[in-house]
Amino acid sequence: SIPSLITLTCSVSSSFSFQPTPSSPYRPASLSRTPETFLPNSSSIVPKNSRSQSLLRIATTANGEKSANEALIRQIDQKIQNYEKKQQKYLSKLESAKAELEKFQQTKQRYLEGLKLGDGSDSADFSETTARSLVKSMMWRVIAGSVTFITSLRFSGNISTALSIVGSDFFSKAATMFIGERLMNKSQAGRKSGADDVGRSLAKALLWRLFAICNTLTMSLLIAKDLSIASKIAGSDAVFKTGLMFVYERVWAKIEWGKEYLIEFSI
């Protein structure tokens, strides 16, 4: 019947009716992101301690660069000061050189005009270089040693004895004469017109022979062990070498090599 059919249909509909399932509450899409995404341009929240450490590192780096720059500036300032001192030093030398140059130019002009150098005296003082004194000493030692060898061989009759006498005082006498030359060079006595005069050459020959005769006599006596032979060798040297050295000095007086003239200015 129709009432029975309606009742059956309602019961079936009740058994298959829609039962809504519990669901999560509605949340807008803009709120569904994690809190970290709210920070601009960052994918995560930076902890407070990490940010403090980063700021500390930045400050430390800035201070380090500042200290390095200050040290570099100090070094540059030091170099500037050093070069300024050098500049002053060289400027002073330059001024001195200019003054000397001017004096030499004026002296040359006076010389070209026929005037005399210095105070008008005839003397021309000079100084001998060390090289000149050394060459003079060594050359004289060769000449004097040859003479001593001949006289020693003549009176001793033994080549070995003669060589021993010559060799024993070769270097000692050369050194002694060199020292004597340097000492005599400190005096201008007996120097005229740019050369040693006759009196100075004679005085040097006598002074040197006084020392050399004592040296030769002593060495000859020690080697030959005979006073008579030693006296003959020293005596012959004294007579012959004195004249020979005087001639040697006169020759060197005419040699210009190794002379440094001392120019006196009267400006």
Side-chain angles (χ1 to χ4, degrees), residues 149 151-165 223-224 229:
F149 174 77
T151 56
S152 299
L153 181 62
R154 168 70 177 79
F155 294 112
S156 67
N158 190 305
I159 295 179
S160 178
T161 301
L163 288 174
S164 298
I165 293 174
I223 294 173
I229 295 176

Side-chain angles (χ1 to χ4, degrees), residues 140-210:
W140 171 251
R141 195 67 253 140
V142 172
I143 296 171
S146 301
V147 174
T148 302
F149 174 77
I150 294 172
T151 56
S152 299
L153 181 62
R154 168 70 177 79
F155 294 112
S156 67
N158 190 305
I159 295 179
S160 178
T161 301
L163 288 174
S164 298
I165 293 174
V166 174
S168 63
D169 64 357
F170 184 89
F171 292 105
S172 62
K173 281 187 177 180
T176 304
M177 184 174 179
F178 173 77
I179 295 173
E181 285 288 323
R182 299 314 298 163
L183 292 175
M184 289 290 291
N185 188 53
K186 296 182 180 297
S187 173
Q188 294 294 326
R191 285 179 170 171
K192 294 181 180 180
S193 301
D196 291 354
D197 63 6
V198 175
R200 183 181 175 96
S201 297
L202 181 60
K204 289 177 69 175
L206 292 174
L207 287 172
W208 172 249
R209 184 45 41 198
L210 182 64

Side-chain angles (χ1 to χ4, degrees), residues 6 12 37 47 49 59 65 76 102 121 128-129 145 166-167 174 177 197-198 203 206 210 213 222 233 244 250:
I6 293 172
V12 172
T37 59
N49 292 337
E65 291 178 354
I76 294 174
E102 183 179 356
S121 64
E128 294 184 352
T129 62
V166 174
M177 184 174 179
D197 63 6
V198 175
L206 292 174
L210 182 64
I213 191 174
L222 291 175
I233 295 173
L244 185 61
R250 296 312 301 153

